[in-house]
Amino acid sequence: MEREELCDDAIELEQLVSQMKELMVEHVNDSRKPGALVLDYKSPKELKQVMDLELGYDGVGVVGLMPLIQDILKYSVNTWHPGFLDKLYAGTNPVGIISEMLISLLNANSHVYHVSPALTMIENTVSHSLAKLLGMGEKSGGITCPGGSFSNQLAMITARTCMFPEIKTKGYHAFGKKLLVFTSVAGHYSVEKTAIALGLGTDGVIKVPCDDQGRMRTDELERLIIKSFQRGELPFFINATAGTTVLGSFDPLREIGKIAKRYSLWFHVDGSWGGSLVFSEKHSHLIDGVNLADTLVLNPHKMLGAPLQCSFLLAKDKKIFSQSNSLKAEYLFHQEDDLGDGTVGCGRRPDAVKLFIGWKIYGIQGYQIRIEHAFKMVKYLTLIVKNNQRFKLVLDDPPSLQVCFWYLPIGINFDLENKKFRIMMTMITKEIHRKIMHRGKFLFDYSPLIIGDKELPCFFRIALNAPSINEKHLDDLVCEIEKMGEGILEWFEEFGDKINGDMKNGVNGNGCIDCANGHNIEKEVMNGFNR
Amino acid sequence: MEREELCDDAIELEQLVSQMKELMVEHVNDSRKPGALVLDYKSPKELKQVMDLELGYDGVGVVGLMPLIQDILKYSVNTWHPGFLDKLYAGTNPVGIISEMLISLLNANSHVYHVSPALTMIENTVSHSLAKLLGMGEKSGGITCPGGSFSNQLAMITARTCMFPEIKTKGYHAFGKKLLVFTSVAGHYSVEKTAIALGLGTDGVIKVPCDDQGRMRTDELERLIIKSFQRGELPFFINATAGTTVLGSFDPLREIGKIAKRYSLWFHVDGSWGGSLVFSEKHSHLIDGVNLADTLVLNPHKMLGAPLQCSFLLAKDKKIFSQSNSLKAEYLFHQEDDLGDGTVGCGRRPDAVKLFIGWKIYGIQGYQIRIEHAFKMVKYLTLIVKNNQRFKLVLDDPPSLQVCFWYLPIGINFDLENKKFRIMMTMITKEIHRKIMHRGKFLFDYSPLIIGDKELPCFFRIALNAPSINEKHLDDLVCEIEKMGEGILEWFEEFGDKINGDMKNGVNGNGCIDCANGHNIEKEVMNGFNR
């Protein structure tokens, strides 16, 4: 196309996208170079000094755009780096980038059909295809929400309205009974945040204990449901987790589904993380029973590499969303057209298009290959950790794509019964984590946990999701942790006890991140853990 | 950079972004060509036939990506087209596109500082700068939410927890009083949806009448608050709207703020639309009193052209978000670092970066120019509509960027007292709207409304926001409506009465969109109107 033919916006767009392309290619390519950093860590205070964050009356004009972008890239985490093992999402891929470019070009709102015809059709189609793949039947389908927490929230709101429609008009004021929600102690904190939002309060959430593999105990679930009924309360919603945040454990969905049916409770599956296993023939058995769900959340932005956010809320009967959440009378419904009506929001980003495009390009087969590569990496890392005396696995056989373990200093016995040992392990984990983050070759997270009847001190959680990860990276990772572990016992003997003592007295005395949590494992576990 | 040096992902990214750039430039340029269509309208049924929506086991591979993108573009609305006057957002701009490319490249989650250091700093800074510009003081600031509805929701949740912290733990069960929320009849429906979500029910929302300019009547507000207290209820939250969805009216914020203070209620301002006027010296008087707000929503994706979504929830005291919504004990707070803690969600898209980049590039000055151009266009369209006998303005002096009017067939008296006239106007408005949408030169919306004590039949709402709109487009728009209005009286006499009769009997007999609403104005108004 000749330049002269183009309108001003098109000319500007062409120039800026060309420049941006260079930066993007460089950013991605840099992430794979030997010695590349995943993050050049700076504290908030340091960052305030080096970044130009001033906002004023005069603009710098488009000539200032690329330097600004370069600055933001410089002080951000490079999620394309194979050392980014911190969260259940990883970097996206070129196809994901293009789908986001399409969304921004369209700048469309998928709330009403007539302003987003193609995107509405796509959302309906991909939701239905996904739900069918999960075995949820011909009437199944759903909508996207801006993240798993909002999907869980909409599920609980929809369930409540389906079961107790009078609450939609009259509120709880005229409702005599105390509503209860059940989730495991390892379930995501969004269930609790939703219960607060909905006015059930944290008291309205019953946390069911887990077994020693981090799975909800169904005997306990049933016992707690019966007890609630006996107290005159009204249990209505069970949240089962398919792939917990920390360990990646799978609640026994089929059994929980049966219990839900037995007591006429809503059966919701939070498959934000593990739901995507439906794309893998080899691993989909882990979510056996998922087809029994009344509602289910699945986030392709996690295991499938779609760009953030991409979260689906699916239902056996897709009509429940508009029927429950619309403010219109039923005879005014526009059938399947206007998706916004089925949500608690108004404007909506057409996130479904990201899975649609990914699925079209990669197919189920492509996603399967991605998932199987990740499991292979889990197997490899588990093996090298298991065979190394400096490490102790939390679960010998990780159920999903997280490998969790402690670093064990030389000459120390692994003894979870010993409180001092637990405190030491938490502090050592955090200190090694801090050092590794500051070096910037790897970025991963840590967490404490209650499992079975045991309180576990903080351990490393390595999330292996990105297709760019190979065995070499994992060898390097283990070396890096070992290296940072050298001398850690001496560090603990010199400073650890003191820091812990100070913590008890409420003094936050050093630069160690999040130290205050050390002695308060139970509280932290109850609060959940971000993904 | 030499091709050989690049990693596979970088090579693929370079190729795909280059191809996408061509499509993007063409899409934007096409939108400005004479005779270009904003939409080639197809019904859901037609679209199902022409689009390839099949999802299966095999992927088509990246070679299939650009044809897929072309297909989606073809059947979507082109929001860059100056004829897109349908919603309170318009197309974005090249700078907006680049900011979305950056977000997708980073694929970062701004919930925790250590995985999004630069983005967290940016969100804190731009929120504080925006709140300060609004006069909310030194301690002010906030966070982004995925759209105005979620911002309104988080405001109400936060207000409730600040005022009645026991509800957070115990829920409503142990709470004796009926909580009430106040908003005007013209306020956005998300206030009602939020009240439902929170368990207040629709009964918990008191709709305050508006004056004849669509503004909340403060005498009525005060009367209704006093009455609620007398009934033993507990009013706690006032939602004032700065720029209503349909007419663009501004509730008298200063007066409402005083009433809120007098009765110790939370003062929330939904400035999703009109809050951006703070960037215009000439028009910011319309939001006088906004600085009194306890919380306020402002969506730069509307009046400032940032890409969807970009919505800020601001507070006088920014700490209230983490203090109210965290599940952690207070002594564990990470100061300002971890933004996710202050929300009801977990993963978050770093939407703040879009306003940050726009503000840096354009400055307050650039946004001011944009806003003032839009007001100029409103003045122009108002003038030509006022001087044309075929039209009747809803408000002679539109308060904001929406121009609302009816088409009046020759020989018909404008008589809102006459029920048959009202039905006719609604049907004529919808039929002209349908014809114009099918022709595809323009896309705009229509709505009924209750204003003062009058029920208004459906009228056109023309939202003039995009900087690409000029006088010529508005002349064309008026011509197009006039042209489609020719013969409409004959159409109504032949079909209109019949359609209306069928509607009454519950039969939806023709292709007219949304016909069933015609005789049910009040219901539809109560349900609100999407933005």
Side-chain angles (χ1 to χ4, degrees):
Chain A
M1 221 179 294
E2 291 295 318
R3 273 291 159 100
E4 301 88 285
E5 291 176 30
L6 296 178
C7 67
D8 291 349
D9 271 345
I11 292 169
E12 188 171 294
L13 186 64
E14 184 170 47
Q15 289 170 346
L16 294 180
V17 173
S18 294
Q19 292 164 18
M20 185 66 192
K21 189 187 72 175
E22 299 302 315
L23 295 186
M24 292 174 100
V25 169
E26 197 185 325
H27 182 78
V28 171
N29 200 54
D30 282 353
S31 74
R32 307 293 160 80
K33 284 184 178 162
L37 296 185
V38 58
L39 166 69
D40 176 11
Y41 184 81
K42 300 223 171 327
S43 70
K45 206 174 153 190
E46 289 167 324
L47 220 46
K48 216 172 239 171
Q49 284 166 349
V50 293
M51 285 185 79
D52 170 18
L53 295 166
E54 209 52 35
L55 292 165
Y57 183 77
D58 295 310
V60 296
V62 287
V63 291
L65 185 55
M66 290 307 139
L68 190 62
I69 300 282
Q70 278 174 307
D71 215 39
I72 297 172
L73 287 174
K74 188 172 167 188
Y75 298 116
S76 289
V77 169
N78 193 329
T79 57
W80 296 79
H81 193 293
F84 181 72
L85 308 164
D86 199 285
K87 294 279 172 266
L88 301 184
Y89 62 90
T92 183
N93 46 50
V95 171
I97 298 275
I98 300 298
S99 64
E100 284 286 8
M101 287 173 78
L102 171 70
I103 289 172
S104 67
L105 178 68
L106 289 172
N107 204 43
N109 211 325
S110 51
H111 56 348
V112 182
Y113 177 82
H114 85 269
V115 292
S116 59
L119 299 170
T120 301
M121 293 308 290
I122 284 172
E123 184 162 339
N124 271 319
T125 304
V126 69
S127 302
H128 181 56
S129 302
L130 194 55
K132 269 187 71 179
L133 196 66
L134 287 154
M136 296 175 83
E138 282 306 320
K139 285 186 186 168
S140 64
I143 44 181
T144 61
C145 294
S149 293
F150 288 112
S151 291
N152 282 333
Q153 188 196 79
L154 187 58
M156 205 188 287
I157 293 171
T158 304
R160 187 185 61 184
T161 300
C162 285
M163 294 174 74
F164 316 106
E166 65 273 31
I167 294 177
K168 186 175 177 180
T169 48
K170 294 182 185 156
Y172 292 124
H173 185 62
F175 194 82
K177 295 220 171 185
K178 183 174 179 179
L179 290 181
L180 289 186
V181 166
F182 295 78
T183 187
S184 90
V185 291
H188 190 250
Y189 67 68
S190 56
V191 174
E192 204 166 353
K193 285 211 172 184
T194 293
I196 293 169
L198 266 62
L200 307 180
T202 48
D203 286 359
V205 182
I206 306 291
K207 299 250 177 112
V208 183
C210 286
D211 67 13
D212 63 1
Q213 299 295 303
R215 298 170 298 208
M216 186 192 279
R217 278 181 54 185
T218 51
D219 56 338
E220 279 293 306
L221 171 67
E222 190 157 13
R223 190 183 65 78
L224 288 165
I225 291 172
I226 294 170
K227 232 173 102 183
S228 309
F229 276 121
Q230 287 167 348
R231 283 196 301 263
E233 295 159 351
L234 193 48
F236 85 107
F237 187 93
I238 303 176
N239 173 68
T241 310
T244 58
T245 309
V246 180
L247 293 177
S249 305
F250 294 87
D251 287 346
L253 303 183
R254 190 166 293 282
E255 279 181 69
I256 296 172
K258 281 183 199 158
I259 293 173
K261 202 169 176 188
R262 192 172 307 145
Y263 298 95
S264 302
L265 310 194
W266 194 273
F267 180 35
H268 175 68
V269 175
D270 179 359
S272 295
W273 175 228
S276 295
L277 292 180
V278 71
F279 286 92
S280 160
E281 219 180 314
K282 199 167 165 188
H283 300 285
S284 60
H285 67 92
L286 290 165
I287 53 169
D288 173 60
V290 73
N291 59 307
L292 302 174
D294 293 305
T295 44
L296 172 136
V297 178
L298 190 158
N299 291 5
H301 73 231
K302 292 195 164 78
M303 212 178 273
L304 304 181
L308 288 160
Q309 303 271 350
C310 185
S311 174
F312 283 83
L313 173 61
L314 305 172
K316 239 184 232 167
D317 180 359
K318 69 175 166 185
K319 286 215 188 80
I320 58 166
F321 298 117
S322 54
Q323 280 168 357
S324 304
N325 299 308
S326 173
L327 287 174
K328 291 186 190 167
E330 201 161 344
Y331 63 94
L332 294 174
F333 279 165
H334 292 188
Q335 291 161 19
E336 307 162 43
D337 307 2
D338 297 345
L339 289 165
D341 210 32
T343 73
V344 293
C346 174
R348 313 172 63 241
R349 238 174 152 260
D351 292 330
V353 83
K354 297 183 242 183
L355 178 61
F356 177 73
I357 289 175
W359 191 337
K360 272 277 182 201
I361 301 305
Y362 300 121
I364 291 174
Q365 191 185 25
Y367 284 141
Q368 181 159 289
I369 290 168
R370 180 186 166 111
I371 291 168
E372 276 160 27
H373 172 77
F375 271 96
K376 214 175 118 196
M377 291 303 104
V378 167
K379 214 169 167 181
Y380 183 79
L381 180 60
T382 305
L383 192 75
I384 55 176
V385 166
K386 196 180 277 177
N387 291 333
N388 188 321
Q389 289 191 319
R390 290 286 65 71
F391 299 112
K392 171 75 182 159
L393 283 164
V394 176
L395 294 184
D396 280 342
D397 198 4
S400 182
L401 304 183
Q402 297 101 303
V403 182
C404 298
F405 55 90
W406 292 273
Y407 177 84
L408 198 62
I410 300 175
I412 296 292
N413 279 331
F414 190 82
D415 179 9
L416 287 179
E417 304 301 317
N418 181 333
K419 194 180 167 192
K420 183 164 178 194
F421 171 79
R422 294 203 304 268
I423 290 170
M424 181 181 76
M425 290 310 277
T426 283
M427 300 200 68
I428 284 178
T429 298
K430 289 183 180 185
E431 177 61 7
I432 293 177
H433 174 269
R434 186 190 68 81
K435 286 167 87 173
I436 288 175
M437 183 171 75
H438 282 250
R439 277 164 62 92
K441 281 178 70 179
F442 292 94
L443 201 60
F444 52 80
D445 219 334
Y446 63 83
S447 179
L449 199 71
I450 291 177
I451 189 167
D453 51 2
K454 273 184 287 191
E455 264 191 23
L456 303 185
C458 283
F459 48 81
F460 306 125
R461 182 197 69 168
I462 315 292
L464 298 169
N465 178 354
S468 57
I469 300 167
N470 61 33
E471 288 84 350
K472 170 85 177 52
H473 299 127
L474 300 178
D475 291 336
D476 285 351
L477 170 71
V478 167
C479 278
E480 177 83 355
I481 300 175
E482 276 196 291
K483 209 156 134 191
M484 293 306 108
E486 280 169 20
I488 195 77
L489 196 59
E490 292 71 19
W491 168 85
F492 178 75
E493 278 161 2
E494 190 167 349
F495 302 107
D497 262 347
K498 184 176 179 311
I499 294 166
N500 185 48
D502 285 350
M503 283 304 111
K504 278 188 187 146
N505 300 322
V507 181
N508 194 333
N510 83 336
C512 175
I513 292 163
D514 205 17
C515 259
N517 296 353
H519 63 295
N520 204 332
I521 291 168
E522 189 170 347
K523 191 131 224 160
E524 199 173 348
V525 172
M526 299 304 278
N527 294 337
F529 184 65
N530 68 65
R531 283 159 168 157
Chain B
M1 221 178 297
E2 289 295 317
R3 271 294 158 99
E4 301 89 283
E5 293 176 30
L6 297 178
C7 68
D8 290 349
D9 271 346
I11 293 169
E12 189 170 293
L13 186 64
E14 184 171 46
Q15 289 169 346
L16 294 180
V17 173
S18 294
Q19 291 165 18
M20 186 66 191
K21 188 186 72 174
E22 298 302 316
L23 295 185
M24 292 175 100
V25 169
E26 197 185 324
H27 183 78
V28 171
N29 200 54
D30 282 354
S31 73
R32 308 292 160 82
K33 283 185 179 162
L37 295 185
V38 58
L39 165 69
D40 176 11
Y41 184 81
K42 300 225 172 325
S43 69
K45 207 175 152 189
E46 288 167 327
L47 219 46
K48 216 172 236 170
Q49 284 166 350
V50 292
M51 286 186 77
D52 170 18
L53 296 166
E54 208 54 36
L55 291 165
Y57 183 76
D58 295 310
V60 296
V62 287
V63 292
L65 185 55
M66 291 306 140
L68 190 61
I69 301 283
Q70 278 173 308
D71 216 37
I72 297 172
L73 287 174
K74 189 173 164 187
Y75 299 116
S76 289
V77 168
N78 192 329
T79 56
W80 296 78
H81 193 293
F84 181 71
L85 308 164
D86 200 284
K87 294 279 172 264
L88 301 185
Y89 62 90
T92 183
N93 46 51
V95 172
I97 298 275
I98 299 299
S99 64
E100 283 287 7
M101 287 174 78
L102 171 69
I103 290 172
S104 67
L105 177 69
L106 289 172
N107 205 43
N109 211 324
S110 50
H111 56 350
V112 182
Y113 177 82
H114 85 267
V115 292
S116 58
L119 299 170
T120 300
M121 293 308 289
I122 285 172
E123 184 162 340
N124 271 321
T125 304
V126 69
S127 301
H128 181 55
S129 302
L130 195 54
K132 268 187 70 182
L133 196 64
L134 286 154
M136 296 174 82
E138 281 307 320
K139 284 185 184 169
S140 64
I143 44 178
T144 61
C145 294
S149 293
F150 288 112
S151 291
N152 283 333
Q153 188 196 77
L154 187 58
M156 206 190 287
I157 293 171
T158 304
R160 187 185 61 185
T161 299
C162 285
M163 293 173 74
F164 316 107
E166 66 272 31
I167 294 178
K168 186 174 177 181
T169 48
K170 294 184 185 157
Y172 291 125
H173 186 62
F175 193 82
K177 295 220 172 183
K178 183 173 180 180
L179 290 181
L180 289 186
V181 166
F182 295 77
T183 187
S184 90
V185 291
H188 190 250
Y189 67 68
S190 56
V191 173
E192 203 165 355
K193 286 210 170 183
T194 293
I196 294 169
L198 266 62
L200 307 180
T202 47
D203 287 358
V205 182
I206 306 291
K207 300 251 176 109
V208 183
C210 286
D211 66 13
D212 62 1
Q213 300 293 303
R215 298 171 296 209
M216 186 192 281
R217 278 181 53 187
T218 50
D219 57 338
E220 280 293 306
L221 171 66
E222 189 157 13
R223 190 182 66 79
L224 289 164
I225 290 173
I226 293 171
K227 231 172 104 181
S228 309
F229 276 121
Q230 285 167 347
R231 282 195 304 263
E233 294 160 352
L234 194 48
F236 84 108
F237 187 94
I238 304 175
N239 173 68
T241 310
T244 59
T245 310
V246 181
L247 294 178
S249 306
F250 294 87
D251 288 347
L253 303 183
R254 190 165 292 284
E255 279 181 68
I256 296 172
K258 282 184 199 158
I259 293 172
K261 201 167 177 191
R262 193 171 307 147
Y263 297 95
S264 301
L265 310 194
W266 194 274
F267 179 36
H268 176 68
V269 174
D270 179 358
S272 295
W273 175 227
S276 294
L277 292 182
V278 72
F279 285 93
S280 159
E281 219 181 315
K282 199 168 163 187
H283 300 285
S284 60
H285 67 90
L286 290 165
I287 54 168
D288 172 61
V290 73
N291 59 307
L292 302 175
D294 292 305
T295 44
L296 172 136
V297 178
L298 190 158
N299 290 6
H301 73 233
K302 292 195 165 78
M303 213 177 271
L304 305 181
L308 288 159
Q309 304 272 350
C310 184
S311 174
F312 283 83
L313 174 60
L314 306 172
K316 239 184 234 167
D317 179 0
K318 69 176 166 186
K319 286 216 187 79
I320 58 166
F321 298 116
S322 54
Q323 281 169 356
S324 304
N325 299 308
S326 173
L327 287 174
K328 292 187 192 167
E330 199 160 344
Y331 63 95
L332 293 175
F333 279 165
H334 291 188
Q335 292 161 16
E336 307 161 43
D337 306 3
D338 297 344
L339 290 165
D341 211 32
T343 74
V344 294
C346 175
R348 314 171 63 239
R349 236 172 154 261
D351 291 329
V353 83
K354 297 184 242 182
L355 178 61
F356 177 74
I357 289 175
W359 191 337
K360 272 277 184 202
I361 302 304
Y362 299 121
I364 291 174
Q365 190 185 25
Y367 284 142
Q368 181 159 289
I369 291 168
R370 181 186 165 111
I371 291 168
E372 276 159 26
H373 173 77
F375 271 96
K376 214 176 118 195
M377 291 302 105
V378 167
K379 215 169 168 183
Y380 183 79
L381 180 60
T382 305
L383 192 74
I384 55 176
V385 165
K386 197 179 277 178
N387 292 332
N388 188 321
Q389 289 193 321
R390 291 285 64 73
F391 300 112
K392 170 77 183 159
L393 283 163
V394 176
L395 294 183
D396 280 340
D397 197 5
S400 182
L401 304 183
Q402 299 101 303
V403 182
C404 297
F405 55 90
W406 292 274
Y407 177 84
L408 196 64
I410 301 174
I412 297 290
N413 279 331
F414 190 80
D415 179 11
L416 288 179
E417 303 302 316
N418 181 333
K419 194 180 168 192
K420 184 162 177 196
F421 171 80
R422 293 202 305 268
I423 291 169
M424 180 181 76
M425 290 310 278
T426 282
M427 300 200 68
I428 285 179
T429 298
K430 290 182 177 183
E431 177 61 8
I432 293 177
H433 174 269
R434 186 191 68 79
K435 286 167 87 173
I436 288 175
M437 183 172 73
H438 282 251
R439 278 164 62 94
K441 282 178 69 178
F442 292 94
L443 202 58
F444 52 80
D445 219 333
Y446 63 83
S447 178
L449 198 71
I450 291 177
I451 187 166
D453 51 2
K454 275 183 283 189
E455 265 190 21
L456 303 186
C458 283
F459 48 81
F460 306 125
R461 182 196 69 169
I462 315 293
L464 297 169
N465 178 354
S468 57
I469 300 168
N470 61 33
E471 287 85 351
K472 170 86 177 51
H473 300 126
L474 301 178
D475 291 336
D476 285 352
L477 169 71
V478 166
C479 277
E480 176 84 354
I481 300 175
E482 275 194 293
K483 209 156 133 191
M484 293 306 108
E486 281 168 21
I488 194 77
L489 195 60
E490 292 71 21
W491 168 85
F492 178 73
E493 276 161 6
E494 191 168 350
F495 301 106
D497 261 347
K498 183 172 179 317
I499 294 166
N500 184 49
D502 285 352
M503 283 304 110
K504 280 188 186 144
N505 299 323
V507 181
N508 194 333
N510 82 336
C512 174
I513 292 163
D514 205 17
C515 259
N517 296 352
H519 63 295
N520 205 331
I521 291 167
E522 191 171 347
K523 192 134 223 158
E524 198 173 345
V525 172
M526 300 305 277
N527 294 337
F529 184 65
N530 68 65
R531 284 161 168 155

